[in-house]
Amino acid sequence: SVKAKYVTSPTARLQYHELTRIAMDSDAAKKVTQAADSSAEWGFNTESFFFTFHAVHLGLLPATNHWTRVNQEIGEIKGAIEEANANASRQGLSPMLLEFQMAQYKNVLTERMQLKYSLDSLLFNPPLVRSVFRFLNYASLWLLRVAFGSLDDDFPGTLPSEPPEDFAALPEFMVDSLADIL
């Protein structure tokens, strides 16, 4: 099983000291970390879970956001090309100036398209997508278990008014990443 106390442990290989917590200020997080068991062993499952979550947060999520921006830029460049072509005849631009302008647009468009295809190959890889969503499904259930302080899947309707310390100490990016991706 994945142990939530990993995020406050001084022996964890990933350190979360500087990160915003879900429901704990930095002073409370320091106290929890200082009181943590410094001889704790975390095991493969716990470390793999947190390393994977970190990889999704630092790798996949930014790649997805970058893909969205690149696609928007491609649309803007295509619109600028159409507008330049339409305005050229009305404004009486010299053919040489228009050709130069079009070459610049097409160079930028080619560069953006190459980046888009690279990101497509990453983000639309069916085995990767399947694995990531399987992990995120597990991570969502795990976060609920920690939030309710229960290991079973029989969750009551509302969260406790005071979150358990283990949940409060988790990095905020865990919930944010899940919300952004799912």
Side-chain angles (χ1 to χ4, degrees), residues 108-126:
V108 173
L109 182 61
T110 299
E111 180 186 300
R112 295 282 110 195
M113 291 299 292
Q114 288 172 346
L115 182 55
K116 177 199 178 317
Y117 294 142
S118 295
L119 290 168
D120 283 352
S121 69
L122 168 71
L123 297 173
F124 297 114
N125 177 341

Side-chain angles (χ1 to χ4, degrees), residues 46-134:
T46 297
E47 287 207 326
S48 294
F49 176 83
F50 285 102
F51 274 95
T52 303
F53 215 118
H54 216 72
V56 167
H57 174 67
L58 294 176
L60 190 64
L61 189 57
T64 303
N65 293 336
H66 193 61
W67 179 87
T68 301
R69 280 193 311 275
V70 166
N71 278 295
Q72 289 170 344
E73 289 171 6
I74 289 170
E76 290 167 5
I77 294 166
K78 287 180 177 179
I81 289 171
E82 288 176 16
E83 187 178 324
N85 279 327
N87 288 339
S89 60
R90 278 185 284 182
Q91 294 176 350
L93 285 178
S94 73
M96 193 156 62
L97 181 59
L98 179 61
E99 187 178 323
F100 176 74
Q101 201 175 32
M102 287 299 126
Q104 285 182 317
Y105 281 134
K106 287 180 183 179
N107 285 340
V108 173
L109 182 61
T110 299
E111 180 186 300
R112 295 282 110 195
M113 291 299 292
Q114 288 172 346
L115 182 55
K116 177 199 178 317
Y117 294 142
S118 295
L119 290 168
D120 283 352
S121 69
L122 168 71
L123 297 173
F124 297 114
N125 177 341
L128 175 68
V129 171
R130 198 170 22 258
S131 294
V132 166
F133 278 99
R134 191 175 304 130

Side-chain angles (χ1 to χ4, degrees), residues 32-52:
V32 171
T33 300
Q34 289 169 347
D37 181 5
S38 61
S39 65
E41 296 281 327
W42 298 109
F44 179 77
N45 290 344
T46 297
E47 287 207 326
S48 294
F49 176 83
F50 285 102
F51 274 95
T52 303

Side-chain angles (χ1 to χ4, degrees), residues 129-149:
V129 171
R130 198 170 22 258
S131 294
V132 166
F133 278 99
R134 191 175 304 130
F135 171 76
L136 293 174
N137 183 51
Y138 174 78
S140 299
L141 288 172
W142 180 82
L143 279 171
L144 282 171
R145 288 181 186 121
V146 175
F148 283 107

